[in-house]
Amino acid sequence: MTENPSDFKSWPKHPRIGIIGGLGAMGKLFHRFFTERGATVAVSDVGTPLSNHDVIDQSHVVLVSVPLHRASNILQDLAPRFRPGQLVLDICSLKMPPQKAMEGCAAWYVGLHPMYGPYVEDFVGQTMIVCPGHVAPQPWQWLMSLLEKAGLKIHICSAQEHDRMMTVIQLIPHVTTVVLGHCLREMGIDAAESLRFTSPIYRLELDLIGRLFAQDAALYAAIAMENPYKSEVLEVLRRVFGETMDAVEHGRWQAFIQAFEQTRAHFGEFCTQALHETNQLLTWHQNANNHGNQKASVDNKAKLSSTPFSYNAPLQGAQEGEKAHA
Amino acid sequence: MTENPSDFKSWPKHPRIGIIGGLGAMGKLFHRFFTERGATVAVSDVGTPLSNHDVIDQSHVVLVSVPLHRASNILQDLAPRFRPGQLVLDICSLKMPPQKAMEGCAAWYVGLHPMYGPYVEDFVGQTMIVCPGHVAPQPWQWLMSLLEKAGLKIHICSAQEHDRMMTVIQLIPHVTTVVLGHCLREMGIDAAESLRFTSPIYRLELDLIGRLFAQDAALYAAIAMENPYKSEVLEVLRRVFGETMDAVEHGRWQAFIQAFEQTRAHFGEFCTQALHETNQLLTWHQNANNHGNQKASVDNKAKLSSTPFSYNAPLQGAQEGEKAHA
C-alpha cells in the first residue's frame, strides 16, 4: 500500500475516487457523476492500464461496479487489500452477499443499490437504497451529503430488509416478465402484428417486456437466482399462480372473484390512485407513440378477410360445442 | 315491431341509435359519442322507462353494451326481436360467443371491440377491432365512416382471429397481473412501503396492478374464462412458467440465459425500440409522480436501523451457509 490514510480527517476536500468495473454502463454513469462533482476518478476494468489493486491503493473511496453474479467473489478477493480509513461502496442489486464478502474487512463499507439503470439523465428524484455496513460518522455524512445533494430519494435499511423487499420489487416482476416474453416467443407472436390489436395497457406491457429483453440476461438471472429469500418467495408465487390458473382453467368463477376482491381490499385506496395515475400515463404514452403510426388506421380500410394468425404451434379452432359462458 | 325498414336506403341521414345497457360506463361513453354526432339515442338498462324491446323497436342501429359474462344469453334472447335492415353491434371483449349468439338472426350484425376503457377522453388514436358478421355494403360503409371520422385506428379481422389474439393481449397479461396482485397480498406487502424502495419500473408495474384491481372482477373473470382458446393458451403459460421457475429455483444458469437469448432474438429490433420508448415513458412517469413525494427523501435522513419488514408470513433470515453465488 502506497499510503495509509487511516483517519477520515486525512481525506482532502475532494477525496480521490476509484471505480472497479469503471468501463461498464453503471461504472461510466458513476464516473461521470463523480467527475461532475470535481473528484479525481481512477478506473480499472478489463484492459485498463490500472489494475484493481492500483485503483484501491490510490483511492480514498472505492466504488465496486461489477456484474452481480461475480461481485461476491471479486469483493472477497479484494477485501484484504482494502485498508483502514478507506470507504468501500458497491452498487449490487442484492446487498446481503456483498456485505458478507466484506465481513472483517479493514475498510469502512456501505452497500448501495441505485434503483435505476444507466439510462437516466441525472439522479434527481431517483431512489438510492443505502445499507450501512460498518462505517464511521464522518465518511457516512460525506456519503449522505453527496447523495442528498444529487437529489436522490434515499432509503436506508438493513441488507436483510433490502434483499427481502427485492423479491417483490425485482425477483417476482422480473420472473413474470421473462415468462410473458417466453410465452409470446413460444406462441410465435410477432410484436408488430400484436400491436395492431393493441389496448393502451398491452402496448405498455409489451414495451416493458421488450425493455427487459434488451438488457443483460446475466443480471436478471443473478437477481432472481441469488436472492437469499428466493425459495420461500418462489413458493408463494408458485402456489398463487397455480390457484389462479386452476380457477381460470376450470371456470371457478366465485373463487376467482373472491380472491380478486380480497386483493382489492388489501390495496385499498391505492387502486383508485393507480387508476388515476395510469389514465394520465396511458394518455401520454398513446400520444407519444401515435406519432408516425397513423398509417395503421388506413392499412386495412377495405379488408374484410382475416390475415393468417401467427401462432407457431397449430391452434385448433374453437369447438362449436364448447361452453363459452359460465 | 313498429316499423320494418328492411332496406338501408330507408335509414334517415341520422339513423336512430339504441343502446342496450346504456347506463353502464361503456354504454354512457357510446351514448355521448353518438349524441355528439347528432344522433337520437334511446337507452335501456335496469330501471329505465324503455325496455330492451322498446329500444330495439325504435332503432335503426342497436348497440349491445352489457357485461361480457351475460352478453351471449342476452343476445340469444333478443335475436328473434331484431329485424331485417337493422344493424346490431356489440362491444364485448370476446367476439366468437356473441357472433354465435347472433347466428341466423334477421338483422345485420358486426362485432366491435373497443380496445380502451370508459376513461378515455375521446376515441382519437385508440384501437377499434371490427369483426364483420353478416352485413350489407351500405351499413358497413356507414359504420366504417363513423369510426374513421372519430379518429380510431380500425383493425378488421375475423372473430376467430380476434379471440386468439386476445389470449395474448388480455388473457395472459390479465392472469399474470392478477397473480402478481395476489402474491403481494399474500406476502402482506404494503404498496406505499414498497414504493420507498422503488425503481421506476416497479412503480409502473405496481400502478398497473392497482389499476386492474380498481376495475370489475367479473370482466376479468369472463375475459380469462370464456375465451374459446383458453385451454391451449393456458397450457403454454403453465409450461413456460414451470420451466422458468425451475431454472430460477434450481439455479440453472445456462438454461435461463439460453431461453432469454432466444426470446431476445425472437423480438429482434423491437427490444431496442422498447428500451428507447420506455426510457422516455419512465422519465415522464417519474416527473409526474415526484410532485408531492419529495418528503420521502427526508423521512429517513438519520435512520440507521431498519424498519420491520411487512411480510405476513414469517420469513426466516438468510441462512449463513447458503450459497449466494452460482
Side-chain angles (χ1 to χ4, degrees), chain B residues 19-20 80 143:
Chain B
I19 302 182
I20 291 175
L143 179 64

Side-chain angles (χ1 to χ4, degrees), chain B residues 20 95 145 160 192:
Chain B
I20 291 175
K95 298 273 52 100
S145 170
Q160 286 75 11

Side-chain angles (χ1 to χ4, degrees), chain A residues 145-165:
Chain A
S145 170
L146 180 79
L147 301 179
E148 280 169 13
K149 283 181 185 160
L152 285 157
K153 288 191 246 179
I154 302 165
H155 185 67
I156 301 166
C157 65
S158 70
Q160 286 76 9
E161 192 186 3
H162 170 277
D163 287 3
R164 277 176 160 171
M165 197 54 107

Side-chain angles (χ1 to χ4, degrees), chain A residues 254-303:
Chain A
Q254 284 313 316
F256 184 94
I257 302 278
Q258 191 181 357
F260 192 102
E261 296 298 347
Q262 284 172 354
T263 302
R264 188 208 303 278
H266 169 74
F267 284 119
E269 289 179 8
F270 175 72
C271 294
T272 318
Q273 180 194 325
L275 182 65
H276 177 69
E277 276 186 28
T278 50
N279 280 341
Q280 298 180 304
L281 174 83
L282 292 169
T283 301
W284 183 88
H285 195 229
Q286 174 88 13
N287 291 336
N289 293 310
N290 266 346
H291 182 66
N293 277 344
Q294 292 299 349
K295 69 178 173 59
S297 67
V298 292
D299 270 358
N300 52 14
K301 239 179 194 171
K303 183 179 129 196

